Amino acid sequence: ACGSEPAGPQATFIYEPVVQNALAACPAPEVAATSAPSAALPEGAEEYLEAAVSAWSGSDVRSRELTLTDVQRAGPGLVPAFVGVVAQAKQAPERAAAAIAVLGAWADTAAREALCQALETHAVPWVRARCAYELGRLREPRVLPRLLLRLKYEVDGETVLWLADALAQQGSLAGLEGLLVLAGRTDDAWLADTARAKADELAARYGAPFGGELLRLHANGLIPEPGDS
């Protein structure tokens, strides 16, 4: 439509029948594949899950690393087991936190998708916040559009904090204004202090004296945006 004639706001396009025919010609199996039932979990999935929950509930970093290595060796078929834990809104927080941490460290395509979906749809704010944190650690350019869209609609302060941090780690200052808003909150000292520190950290990175000045420079196009990867 953009490349057709006539151009301009009054243009009338008649490509609807063409699009309908093209969609009708799509092979049915390719369309149906997106809603196919999930495969059964591999044998031992529950044992791996419980081991991960136990490791992430403790403070032994070495134990966490060994557990993650074991889970990764078991193959990507285990991802649905951890996704299922995250999807449950009512459960022990340490179980969901462990599952999110494993998915984040996995860096598998299915794991990234699970974190994005939980960030976009989960009813529990701290789960969304933890997913945003893990996605930030991945520094995966392919999730940037989804992080930006979630930032636009997110209402939980801590989730906004980690969304802004995740974006900043890939060179985007789209969350800077949100950080400055959080820094002015008086109902949550930890959130305000952390947001202010992150805004000032970003300012120092770009050579600005403080977060507000960096926002002014960014708003006036004086801070270069990262190129598309």
Side-chain angles (χ1 to χ4, degrees):
C2 291
S4 65
E5 294 292 342
Q10 303 303 319
T12 301
F13 303 111
I14 55 171
Y15 295 115
E16 209 171 315
V18 179
V19 175
Q20 289 176 343
N21 290 336
L23 289 174
C26 289
E30 293 183 12
V31 177
T34 59
S35 57
S38 301
L41 295 180
E43 186 176 353
E46 289 299 325
E47 286 78 2
Y48 282 110
L49 177 59
E50 294 306 320
V53 170
S54 176
W56 256 266
S57 297
S59 57
D60 187 347
V61 176
R62 180 59 178 163
S63 176
R64 293 182 180 186
E65 292 175 349
L66 292 173
T67 301
L68 178 60
T69 300
D70 288 342
V71 172
Q72 288 175 318
R73 286 175 178 171
L78 285 178
V79 170
F82 291 91
V83 172
V85 173
V86 178
Q88 298 172 24
K90 295 182 179 180
Q91 61 173 308
E94 61 269 16
R95 289 183 63 83
I100 292 169
V102 171
L103 290 172
W106 214 319
D108 175 85
T109 301
R112 283 199 308 270
E113 177 61 25
L115 290 173
C116 284
Q117 288 192 4
L119 171 65
E120 294 161 350
T121 64
H122 207 286
V124 179
W126 77 261
V127 171
R128 300 198 303 274
R130 188 65 64 92
C131 288
Y133 171 78
E134 293 295 342
L135 287 167
R137 294 178 63 198
L138 290 178
R139 298 189 181 184
E140 171 53 67
R142 284 173 289 187
V143 305
L144 269 173
R146 296 175 77 169
L147 294 176
L148 288 165
L149 187 60
R150 187 61 227 166
L151 179 67
K152 180 177 180 179
Y153 295 106
E154 183 57 60
V155 295
D156 174 62
E158 187 178 355
T159 307
V160 169
L161 171 70
W162 293 118
L163 281 169
D165 182 66
L167 290 165
Q169 291 188 53
Q170 298 199 50
S172 172
L173 295 177
L176 176 59
E177 186 173 4
L179 287 178
L180 295 175
V181 171
L182 294 175
R185 286 181 55 167
T186 58
D187 60 327
D188 191 326
W190 175 86
L191 186 60
D193 290 345
T194 305
R196 187 178 303 107
K198 287 194 173 295
D200 290 342
E201 178 185 323
L202 283 175
R205 185 189 306 175
Y206 287 91
F210 53 91
E213 176 62 12
L214 178 62
L215 179 62
R216 186 191 69 80
L217 294 172
H218 182 252
N220 286 280
L222 301 177
I223 300 295
E225 287 288 332
D228 294 333
S229 71

